[in-house]
Every structure is written in structure tokens, then in C-alpha cells.
Amino acid sequence: MIILGLETSCDETSAAVVRDGKLLSNATAVQLIHSDHGGVVPELASRAHQRIIIPVVEDALRKASIKKNDLDAIAAVYGPGLIGSILIGLSFGKGMAMGLGIPFIGINHMEAHIFSNMIEEPRPSFPFVNLTVSGGHTQLVLVKDSFESELLGETLDDAAGEAFDKVAKMLGVGYPGGPLVDKFAAKGNAKAVKFPRSYLEEGSHQFSFSGLKTSVLYYLRKTGFDKTAHGNDVFVSDVCASFQAAVVDVLIEKLLTAAKKYNVKDIAVCGGVSANSELRRRLAWEARMNHVKLFIPKLDFCTDNGAMVAQAGYERMRKGFISNLELTAEPNLQMN
Ligand code: KG4
Ligand code: ZN
């Protein structure tokens, strides 16, 4: 069974081919156009998806050495995300499935992220606790089976990736924020500034990052930081490292607390922030110390990608979950 997966929910246009659960190709075009604006501009994102979706799909088919007539089904994300962006991949996927006379499968983007740890071996065993940390979401999920999961907690305000992006903006380090904060932090002292860790009440599975973000803002004001001045490098690196350490502490503590509470042996982390080098380093260490097995995608599959959509599509197809072609984009689609 050969599945084409399409991901266009935000600013990555990505397509991938999976054959019988094995990844054959993944082609991703990152939209650089947004860097001039310091953040994703929805209208520009949809136009860019429209322009590049055909070359990206052709690239994925070519890399997989298959022809479109070899496909058995097409999977595409129908939410959550930016409506104009989702509509491009969704409409393209439905149209292509209809043209080829094959099934179409609508995929929840958050469910797809969880599948990013199932693209390659080894895969986590059910049940496991999954932490999704992306630009729009921070979610702790108990994954009981392929399509059976329980949302344990999520952020009450900013998502982890959003906090990285906003802090990057305050520091004037550029866009995209997360990877740049990560890069500066590598040269900084994480103990330079004691930023608050928001754990909320004892045992809570919820998150909150807006207090931390505000603390960074107040600290920058108090120190008279000027992001346009040169020679700030050591200061910026120290703030990045200290902020990053606060985020990482909270994410790991909450993930391990949930893993203990639900008595699982496997833990998984996914989403754009799972590319963060300090988070990966600390997770590897803490998993060993706490005798749990850690699953984290390779870098290509942390941020949005077609491979996770194709893999989720393959599983859905195997279980007979096919979508109606009347399926519409749902920008606020929930987890279950
Ligand atoms: O999963 P993703 O590609 O898109 C969404 O579904 O939101 O996540 C994008 C987020 C952005 O906020 C980006 O700044 C963050 O992931 N990110 C990182 C790193 N790479 C990407 N955050 C921290 N460190 C990184 N290395
Ligand atoms: Zn995502």
C-alpha cells in the first residue's frame, strides 16, 4: 500500500511517500519569505503553498521512484492551522485522489506530530506519554493506541515555540526565532539570569509560558537592553541560555511526572521545539536517570513534514478510516 502525505498547515510545504509503513521519500520546502516580516504572514503562506505544492509533490514522487498511478491513497492535514494554508494541501489532496479514483484521508496535524516518532524504527510501545511542543501547541498526551489518546494537559497561554519566537523578537536575533535562540544559547551561561519556572499547582499537566516571556521583557527593560546596538552578543547569549533552561526544566519535569503517574515505560517528544539541542541533551540524560525509554524524531521530522502525515495516513488506511471528500478545513481542530 503506497500513501502520499501532504502537510501545508503553516509555513512548510511538504509531501512524503510511505509504502507499507516504510518511508520512501520526504520533500519539504520551507518558506523563507516570512523572514522579512519577523513571523508567518498567513496570506503569503497560502500563496507560497499554492505556488510550490506541485513541484514539492513531484519531488516526493521522484525521490520515491514511483508514479502517481502507483498511489493507493492520499492523506492531507485538515486542521488545526492557518485556514488558507490548510485549504491548499487539503483541496490539492482531495482533487488528486478524485482524479486518480483512490481514497482520501484527512489527518489531524496534532495526531500527525505524534506519528513523527513512528516513521522509523524503533517505535514507542503503547501506552506511552507524548509531549508535543510546537509553534502553536504544547500538549501532554497519553497515547493508548494508534488513534486512541487522552489529552492530559496543554498550555493555558503561549505555546513553547511561540515563547521562543517572541523572546527571539525581543532580543532582535531574527526569524525563525527558536533555532536562533538555540544557537545563541549554546554560547551562553544558563545560570546568568534566574527566570521563573511556572509549574502551576502540584502534579498539574498544564503549562504556562507567558509569565516567563514577561520576565524576559522586564529583565531587558531593567538592564536598558537595546536590540539595535552592536556588541550585545554575550548578553544575548546569556539571556537565551537562561530562558531556554527555564523552558526545558518545565517541559521535562511535567513529562516525567506524567510518565510516572501513568506508569509508562516509553516517553516521546515531537514538534518544532523537539529540535532544540538543550532539550534533546537534557531529555536523553533524564530518561536514562528515570529508567524510561525516550523517543524523539530526527531533526527533519521535528518541524512540520509530510512524512508524519503519510505515516498517520497509512495507519488510518490500514484500519479502514477513509474520509469523505466533503471534509473541510478546521483551523481549530482539537485533539480527539
Ligand atoms: O511543529 P512546527 O514546525 O510548527 C507548528 O506546528 O507550529 O514548530 C515550529 C516551532 C516554532 O515556534 C520554532 O521557533 C520552534 O518550533 N523551533 C525551535 C527550534 N526549531 C524550531 N524552538 C527551539 N529550538 C529549536 N531548535
Ligand atoms: Zn506542527
Side-chain angles (χ1 to χ4, degrees):
M1 195 154 56
I2 307 181
I3 314 285
L4 172 71
L6 303 173
E7 159 60 49
T8 64
S9 65
C10 190
D11 60 339
E12 269 101 6
T13 315
S14 188
V17 179
V18 159
R19 177 196 280 143
D20 296 331
K22 193 171 174 304
L23 183 70
L24 297 186
S25 68
N26 183 60
T28 303
V30 180
Q31 303 177 359
L32 300 175
I33 189 168
H34 307 288
S35 56
D36 298 340
H37 304 272
V40 178
V41 182
E43 179 65 24
L44 295 179
S46 347
R47 288 173 191 225
H49 285 305
Q50 178 83 299
R51 221 170 20 249
I52 53 184
I53 191 154
I54 293 176
V56 166
V57 168
E58 282 175 340
D59 195 26
L61 295 177
R62 190 180 43 77
K63 283 181 180 150
S65 302
I66 65 145
K67 305 240 169 319
K68 60 180 188 303
N69 288 319
D70 298 330
L71 293 171
D72 293 299
I74 296 179
V77 164
Y78 72 105
L82 303 170
I83 186 151
S85 293
I86 299 167
L87 278 170
I88 306 295
L90 178 63
S91 306
F92 184 91
K94 289 202 289 187
M96 191 168 172
M98 198 177 167
L100 293 170
I102 56 176
F104 173 76
I105 306 150
I107 301 289
N108 180 324
H109 178 78
M110 302 314 293
E111 184 178 282
H113 267 302
I114 295 176
F115 272 90
S116 62
N117 276 305
M118 303 186 211
I119 295 169
E120 292 170 323
E121 300 283 355
R123 294 169 185 164
S125 308
F126 302 114
F128 63 91
V129 171
N130 179 89
L131 170 69
T132 306
V133 269
S134 70
H137 294 82
T138 302
Q139 291 186 334
L140 254 183
V141 181
L142 177 64
V143 186
K144 299 173 184 168
D145 206 340
S146 306
F147 301 111
E148 197 194 333
S149 55
E150 185 185 332
L151 181 63
L152 304 177
E154 55 191 335
T155 184
L156 302 173
D157 38 60
D158 292 348
E162 192 179 353
F164 268 93
D165 295 335
K166 286 179 177 167
V167 165
K169 217 168 190 175
M170 289 178 211
L171 290 167
V173 296
Y175 171 89
L180 291 166
V181 169
D182 189 347
K183 202 173 124 209
F184 274 95
K187 297 177 283 182
N189 173 10
K191 294 203 167 76
V193 195
K194 185 97 187 88
F195 288 126
R197 274 81 171 144
S198 172
Y199 292 105
L200 304 171
E201 69 270 20
E202 174 102 38
S204 166
H205 299 314
Q206 312 281 71
F207 299 84
S208 168
F209 293 107
S210 72
L212 169 61
K213 176 193 68 186
T214 309
S215 294
V216 175
L217 180 68
Y218 286 170
Y219 180 74
L220 296 183
R221 275 195 197 147
K222 194 178 82 187
T223 53
F225 173 74
D226 174 5
K227 65 179 175 186
T228 61
H230 293 291
N232 277 330
D233 257 30
V234 174
F235 179 89
V236 168
S237 299
D238 285 351
V239 172
C240 285
S242 303
F243 158 77
Q244 182 176 271
V247 176
V248 168
D249 278 353
V250 172
L251 293 178
I252 294 185
E253 169 72 24
K254 289 191 176 266
L255 174 58
L256 291 175
T257 301
K260 273 193 201 103
K261 180 169 171 189
Y262 292 94
N263 197 22
V264 297
K265 292 189 184 64
D266 292 354
I267 56 171
V269 184
C270 60
V273 181
S274 65
N276 184 267
S277 51
E278 178 64 8
L279 179 63
R280 295 175 84 92
R281 189 187 68 76
R282 283 274 309 281
L283 274 169
W285 168 257
E286 296 287 351
R288 214 173 325 130
M289 292 295 105
N290 288 276
H291 311 290
V292 284
K293 201 160 168 213
L294 170 70
F295 293 83
I296 193 158
K298 67 177 190 190
L299 293 181
D300 282 354
F301 306 142
C302 290
T303 43
D304 293 345
N305 64 87
M308 64 187 191
V309 179
Q311 193 61 258
Y314 168 72
E315 269 310 305
R316 282 208 168 261
M317 182 74 182
R318 234 163 46 96
K319 301 208 159 141
F321 298 139
I322 289 165
S323 304
N324 192 308
L325 284 180
E326 281 162 23
L327 186 75
T328 56
E330 287 192 41
N332 299 315
L333 185 64
Q334 298 300 307
M335 190 54 202
N336 289 313

